Amino acid sequence: MHPKDPKLTLIVTGGTLDKDYQTSTGALVFSETHLPDILRQANTTLAIETRVLMLKDSLEMTDLDRDDIAQACRETETDTIVITHGTDTMADTALALSENAELSDKTIVLTGAMRPFRLGESDACFNLGAALMAAQLAENGVYIAMNGELFNASRVMKNRQKGVFELTV
């Protein structure tokens, strides 16, 4: 298989992937996106345009935020998009994007991490790599790439007890 578009857009919205440990309070907070570090470590040769839209915990994500994400997807010049997103409401955002008819000619893959990249032992790099590959190879549509699997936006949920994403019936 050959990638369909040599260039893709990476839209950053926050989530655990981009959180950092604040030593003074012990809280997980946002300071900046860690995507440049992840992409540098991966030694990727892809033509990636990175756009930081927001740095937000997905539990605080609103319908207005989802509208902003959809607008950012519509405005991209590429048809291949990866979105980093918090895992708690990732399936909600993916479903909202999949129901947007104006995005039907694009391939959009959401991904994130269960553990912050900066804390080590994170699934962030693996999930991002899987999402970048999936975005190049999947048919037009909206997907979630997590745990080494690619899920259709309309058939996925986060199993909080197991800490993984699963197909829904």
Side-chain angles (χ1 to χ4, degrees):
M1 264 185 156
H2 297 285
K4 59 180 148 192
D5 189 344
K7 185 177 177 188
L8 61 83
T9 301
L10 179 58
I11 298 174
V12 177
T13 70
T16 297
L17 182 149
D18 267 327
K19 287 193 173 179
D20 207 345
Y21 181 76
Q22 187 175 54
T23 55
S24 61
T25 65
L28 293 176
V29 297
F30 294 108
S31 56
E32 62 185 0
T33 183
H34 305 306
L35 271 294
D37 291 340
I38 294 171
L39 294 171
R40 187 179 66 256
Q41 283 183 21
N43 198 30
T44 183
T45 57
L46 292 172
I48 300 173
E49 175 191 336
T50 303
R51 178 175 176 197
V52 179
L53 188 61
M54 63 187 80
L55 290 174
K56 198 166 199 178
D57 187 297
S58 72
L59 289 173
E60 297 173 4
M61 192 79 59
T62 67
D63 288 340
L64 288 176
D65 294 322
R66 288 183 183 85
D67 291 343
D68 288 345
I69 294 168
Q71 182 66 30
C73 290
R74 282 190 298 275
E75 291 174 354
T76 63
E77 293 181 14
T78 61
D79 294 334
T80 309
I81 302 166
V82 171
I83 301 171
T84 60
H85 194 289
T87 60
D88 285 313
T89 63
M90 185 186 296
D92 299 333
T93 299
L95 185 60
L97 293 173
S98 72
E99 293 172 347
N100 188 319
E102 294 179 79
L103 299 175
S104 64
D105 61 341
K106 296 183 182 274
T107 303
I108 302 170
V109 180
L110 288 82
T111 195
M114 299 293 187
R115 181 175 165 89
F117 169 73
R118 285 280 189 234
L119 294 185
E121 302 288 324
S122 175
D123 54 338
C125 296
F126 180 77
N127 290 334
L128 181 63
L132 291 170
M133 180 65 73
Q136 295 175 79
L137 299 175
E139 297 294 324
N140 288 349
V142 181
Y143 305 90
I144 288 179
M146 290 290 294
N147 316 114
E149 294 189 61
L150 186 64
F151 301 96
N152 185 292
S154 64
R155 299 196 56 223
V156 63
M157 63 171 254
K158 180 179 177 182
N159 182 326
R160 285 176 172 75
Q161 289 181 321
K162 294 181 182 177
V164 297
F165 280 75
E166 299 175 332
L167 277 175
T168 59
V169 179

